[in-house]
Coordinates of all heavy atoms in Angstrom, one line a residue:
H1 N 92.6 114.8 110.0 CA 92.9 116.2 110.3 C 93.8 116.7 109.2 O 94.9 116.2 109.0 CB 93.5 116.5 111.7 CG 92.5 116.1 112.8 ND1 91.5 116.8 113.1 CD2 92.5 115.0 113.6 CE1 90.8 116.3 114.1 NE2 91.4 115.1 114.4
H2 N 93.4 117.8 108.5 CA 94.3 118.4 107.5 C 94.9 117.5 106.5 O 96.1 117.5 106.2 CB 95.4 119.2 108.2 CG 94.9 120.1 109.3 ND1 94.1 121.2 109.1 CD2 95.0 120.0 110.7 CE1 93.8 121.7 110.2 NE2 94.3 121.0 111.2
V3 N 94.1 116.6 106.0 CA 94.5 115.6 105.0 C 93.8 115.9 103.7 O 92.6 116.1 103.7 CB 94.3 114.2 105.4 CG1 94.6 113.2 104.3 CG2 95.0 113.8 106.7
S4 N 94.5 116.0 102.6 CA 93.8 116.0 101.3 C 94.5 115.0 100.4 O 95.7 114.7 100.6 CB 93.9 117.4 100.7 OG 95.2 117.8 100.4
R5 N 93.8 114.5 99.4 CA 94.4 113.5 98.5 C 94.3 114.0 97.1 O 93.2 114.5 96.7 CB 93.6 112.2 98.6 CG 93.7 111.5 99.9 CD 95.1 110.8 100.0 NE 96.0 111.8 100.6 CZ 97.3 111.7 100.5 NH1 97.9 110.6 100.0 NH2 98.1 112.6 101.0
A6 N 95.3 113.8 96.4 CA 95.3 114.1 94.9 C 94.4 113.1 94.2 O 94.1 112.1 94.8 CB 96.7 114.0 94.4
P7 N 93.9 113.4 93.0 CA 93.1 112.5 92.3 C 93.8 111.1 92.2 O 95.0 111.0 91.9 CB 92.9 113.1 90.9 CG 93.1 114.6 91.2 CD 94.1 114.7 92.3
H8 N 93.0 110.1 92.6 CA 93.4 108.7 92.5 C 94.6 108.3 93.5 O 95.2 107.3 93.3 CB 93.8 108.3 91.1 CG 92.7 108.6 90.1 ND1 91.5 108.0 90.1 CD2 92.6 109.6 89.2 CE1 90.7 108.5 89.2 NE2 91.3 109.5 88.6
A9 N 94.8 109.1 94.5 CA 95.9 108.9 95.5 C 95.2 108.2 96.7 O 94.1 108.3 96.9 CB 96.6 110.1 95.9
T10 N 96.1 107.4 97.4 CA 95.6 106.7 98.6 C 96.3 107.1 99.8 O 97.5 107.4 99.8 CB 95.9 105.2 98.3 OG1 95.2 104.7 97.2 CG2 95.6 104.3 99.5
V11 N 95.6 107.1 100.9 CA 96.2 107.4 102.2 C 96.0 106.1 103.1 O 94.9 105.5 103.0 CB 95.7 108.6 102.9 CG1 94.2 108.5 103.3 CG2 96.5 108.9 104.2
R12 N 97.1 105.6 103.7 CA 97.0 104.4 104.5 C 96.8 104.9 106.0 O 97.6 105.6 106.5 CB 98.3 103.6 104.4 CG 98.3 102.3 105.2 CD 99.2 101.3 104.6 NE 98.7 100.8 103.3 CZ 99.4 100.0 102.5 NH1 100.6 99.7 102.8 NH2 98.8 99.6 101.4
V13 N 95.8 104.3 106.7 CA 95.5 104.7 108.1 C 96.1 103.5 108.9 O 95.5 102.4 108.9 CB 94.0 104.9 108.3 CG1 93.8 105.2 109.8 CG2 93.5 105.9 107.4
R14 N 97.2 103.7 109.6 CA 97.8 102.7 110.4 C 97.4 102.8 111.8 O 97.1 103.9 112.3 CB 99.3 102.8 110.3 CG 99.9 102.6 108.9 CD 101.4 102.6 108.8 NE 101.9 102.4 107.5 CZ 102.1 101.2 107.0 NH1 101.9 100.1 107.7 NH2 102.6 101.1 105.7
T15 N 97.3 101.7 112.5 CA 96.8 101.6 113.9 C 97.8 102.2 114.9 O 97.3 103.0 115.8 CB 96.5 100.2 114.3 OG1 95.5 99.7 113.4 CG2 96.0 100.1 115.7
G16 N 99.0 102.0 114.8 CA 100.0 102.3 115.9 C 100.4 103.8 115.9 O 99.7 104.7 115.4
I17 N 101.6 104.0 116.4 CA 102.2 105.3 116.6 C 103.2 105.6 115.5 O 104.0 104.7 115.1 CB 102.8 105.4 118.0 CG1 101.7 105.2 119.0 CG2 103.5 106.8 118.1 CD1 102.3 105.0 120.4
G18 N 103.2 106.8 115.0 CA 104.2 107.2 114.0 C 104.0 108.6 113.6 O 103.1 109.3 114.0
M19 N 104.9 109.1 112.7 CA 104.8 110.5 112.2 C 103.9 110.5 110.9 O 104.3 109.7 109.9 CB 106.2 111.0 111.8 CG 107.0 111.2 113.1 SD 106.5 112.6 114.1 CE 106.9 114.0 113.0
D20 N 102.9 111.3 110.8 CA 102.0 111.3 109.6 C 102.9 111.8 108.4 O 103.7 112.7 108.6 CB 100.9 112.3 109.9 CG 99.8 111.7 110.8 OD1 99.9 110.5 111.2 OD2 98.9 112.5 111.2
T21 N 102.6 111.2 107.3 CA 103.2 111.6 106.0 C 102.1 111.9 105.0 O 100.9 111.7 105.3 CB 104.2 110.6 105.5 OG1 103.5 109.4 105.1 CG2 105.3 110.2 106.6
R22 N 102.5 112.1 103.8 CA 101.5 112.3 102.7 C 100.8 111.0 102.4 O 99.7 111.0 102.0 CB 102.2 112.8 101.4 CG 102.7 114.2 101.5 CD 103.3 114.7 100.2 NE 103.9 113.7 99.4 CZ 103.8 113.5 98.1 NH1 103.1 114.4 97.4 NH2 104.5 112.6 97.5
K23 N 101.5 109.8 102.6 CA 100.9 108.5 102.3 C 100.4 107.7 103.5 O 99.6 106.8 103.3 CB 102.0 107.7 101.6 CG 102.3 108.3 100.2 CD 103.3 107.4 99.5 CE 103.6 107.9 98.1 NZ 104.5 107.1 97.4
D24 N 100.9 108.1 104.7 CA 100.5 107.3 105.9 C 100.1 108.2 107.0 O 100.7 109.2 107.3 CB 101.7 106.5 106.4 CG 102.1 105.4 105.4 OD1 101.5 104.3 105.4 OD2 103.1 105.6 104.7
V25 N 99.0 107.9 107.7 CA 98.6 108.6 108.9 C 98.5 107.5 110.0 O 98.2 106.4 109.7 CB 97.3 109.4 108.8 CG1 97.5 110.5 107.8 CG2 96.1 108.5 108.3
Y26 N 98.7 107.9 111.2 CA 98.7 107.0 112.4 C 97.7 107.4 113.4 O 97.5 108.5 113.7 CB 100.1 107.1 113.0 CG 101.2 106.6 112.1 CD1 101.8 107.5 111.1 CD2 101.6 105.3 112.1 CE1 102.7 107.0 110.2 CE2 102.6 104.8 111.2 CZ 103.1 105.7 110.3 OH 104.1 105.3 109.4
Q27 N 97.0 106.3 113.9 CA 95.9 106.5 114.9 C 96.5 106.7 116.3 O 95.8 107.2 117.2 CB 95.0 105.3 114.9 CG 94.3 105.2 113.5 CD 93.2 104.1 113.6 OE1 92.3 104.1 114.4 NE2 93.4 103.1 112.7
G28 N 97.7 106.3 116.6 CA 98.3 106.4 117.9 C 97.7 105.4 118.9 O 97.8 105.7 120.1
K29 N 97.2 104.3 118.5 CA 96.7 103.3 119.4 C 97.7 102.4 119.9 O 98.7 102.1 119.2 CB 95.6 102.5 118.7 CG 94.4 103.3 118.1 CD 93.6 103.9 119.1 CE 92.4 104.6 118.5 NZ 91.7 105.4 119.5
R30 N 97.5 101.8 121.1 CA 98.4 100.8 121.7 C 97.7 99.4 121.7 O 98.2 98.5 122.4 CB 98.8 101.3 123.0 CG 99.6 102.6 123.0 CD 100.1 102.9 124.4 NE 100.8 104.2 124.4 CZ 102.0 104.4 124.0 NH1 102.8 103.4 123.6 NH2 102.5 105.6 124.1
N31 N 96.6 99.3 121.0 CA 95.9 98.1 120.9 C 95.3 98.0 119.5 O 95.1 99.0 118.8 CB 94.8 97.9 121.9 CG 94.5 96.5 122.3 OD1 95.0 95.6 121.5 ND2 93.8 96.2 123.3
Y32 N 95.0 96.8 119.0 CA 94.4 96.6 117.6 C 93.0 97.2 117.6 O 92.3 97.1 118.5 CB 94.4 95.1 117.3 CG 95.8 94.5 117.3 CD1 96.3 93.9 118.4 CD2 96.7 94.7 116.2 CE1 97.6 93.4 118.5 CE2 98.0 94.2 116.3 CZ 98.4 93.6 117.4 OH 99.7 93.1 117.4
V33 N 92.7 97.7 116.4 CA 91.3 98.3 116.2 C 90.4 97.4 115.4 O 89.2 97.4 115.5 CB 91.4 99.7 115.6 CG1 92.1 100.7 116.4 CG2 91.9 99.6 114.2
G34 N 91.0 96.5 114.6 CA 90.3 95.5 113.8 C 89.9 94.3 114.6 O 90.5 93.9 115.6
N35 N 88.9 93.6 114.1 CA 88.5 92.4 114.7 C 89.0 91.2 113.9 O 88.8 91.2 112.7 CB 86.9 92.3 114.7 CG 86.4 91.1 115.5 OD1 87.1 90.2 115.7 ND2 85.1 91.2 115.8
D36 N 89.8 90.3 114.5 CA 90.5 89.3 113.7 C 89.5 88.3 113.0 O 89.9 87.7 112.0 CB 91.3 88.4 114.7 CG 92.6 89.1 115.0 OD1 92.9 90.2 114.5 OD2 93.4 88.6 115.9
S37 N 88.3 88.2 113.4 CA 87.3 87.3 112.7 C 86.7 88.0 111.6 O 85.9 87.3 110.8 CB 86.3 86.8 113.7 OG 85.5 87.9 114.2
G38 N 86.9 89.3 111.3 CA 86.3 90.0 110.3 C 85.8 91.3 110.8 O 85.7 91.5 112.0
D39 N 85.7 92.3 109.9 CA 85.3 93.6 110.4 C 84.6 94.4 109.3 O 84.6 94.1 108.1 CB 86.6 94.4 110.8 CG 86.4 95.3 112.0 OD1 85.2 95.7 112.3 OD2 87.4 95.7 112.6
T40 N 84.0 95.5 109.7 CA 83.4 96.5 108.8 C 84.0 97.8 109.2 O 84.1 98.2 110.3 CB 81.8 96.5 109.0 OG1 81.3 95.2 108.7 CG2 81.2 97.5 108.1
A41 N 84.4 98.5 108.1 CA 84.9 99.9 108.3 C 83.9 100.8 107.6 O 83.4 100.5 106.5 CB 86.3 100.0 107.7
T42 N 83.6 101.9 108.2 CA 82.7 102.9 107.6 C 83.4 104.3 107.5 O 83.9 104.8 108.5 CB 81.4 103.1 108.5 OG1 80.8 101.8 108.7 CG2 80.4 104.0 107.9
L43 N 83.3 104.8 106.3 CA 83.9 106.1 106.0 C 82.8 107.1 106.0 O 81.8 106.9 105.2 CB 84.7 106.1 104.7 CG 85.3 107.4 104.2 CD1 86.5 107.7 105.2 CD2 85.8 107.2 102.8
R44 N 82.9 108.2 106.8 CA 81.9 109.2 106.8 C 82.5 110.6 106.5 O 83.7 110.8 106.8 CB 81.3 109.4 108.2 CG 80.4 108.2 108.6 CD 79.8 108.3 110.0 NE 79.1 107.2 110.4 CZ 77.8 107.0 110.2 NH1 77.1 107.9 109.6 NH2 77.2 105.8 110.6
N45 N 81.8 111.4 105.8 CA 82.3 112.7 105.4 C 82.2 113.7 106.6 O 81.7 113.3 107.7 CB 81.6 113.3 104.2 CG 80.2 113.6 104.4 OD1 79.6 113.7 105.5 ND2 79.5 113.8 103.2
D46 N 82.6 114.9 106.5 CA 82.6 115.9 107.6 C 81.2 116.3 108.0 O 81.0 116.9 109.1 CB 83.4 117.1 107.2 CG 82.8 117.8 106.0 OD1 82.0 117.3 105.2 OD2 83.2 119.0 105.7
R47 N 80.2 115.8 107.3 CA 78.8 116.1 107.8 C 78.2 114.8 108.4 O 77.0 114.8 108.8 CB 77.9 116.5 106.6 CG 78.3 117.8 106.0 CD 77.4 118.2 104.8 NE 77.9 119.4 104.3 CZ 77.8 119.7 103.0 NH1 77.3 118.8 102.1 NH2 78.3 120.9 102.6

């Protein structure tokens, strides 16, 4: 939500709770989202 990135900049998506900054956004979860044995992450655009 309301995130834009400068050219070649990175945003880190953290699992827990925190205040969003220019470099870090927080999912607000109280449990892990990744699978310890391996995982696949999929990035989709607004469409």
Side-chain angles (χ1 to χ4, degrees):
H1 296 285
H2 311 293
V3 175
S4 65
R5 291 288 83 196
H8 308 289
T10 297
V11 63
R12 181 160 287 171
V13 181
R14 295 185 181 273
T15 298
I17 298 168
M19 294 288 291
D20 290 352
T21 67
R22 290 182 328 137
K23 294 182 179 185
D24 295 277
V25 294
Y26 296 84
Q27 297 185 57
K29 303 291 185 192
R30 296 186 185 277
N31 207 348
Y32 300 96
V33 299
N35 186 345
D36 283 353
S37 62
D39 213 342
T40 298
T42 303
L43 181 66
R44 293 180 184 268
N45 66 17
D46 59 345
R47 295 181 182 146

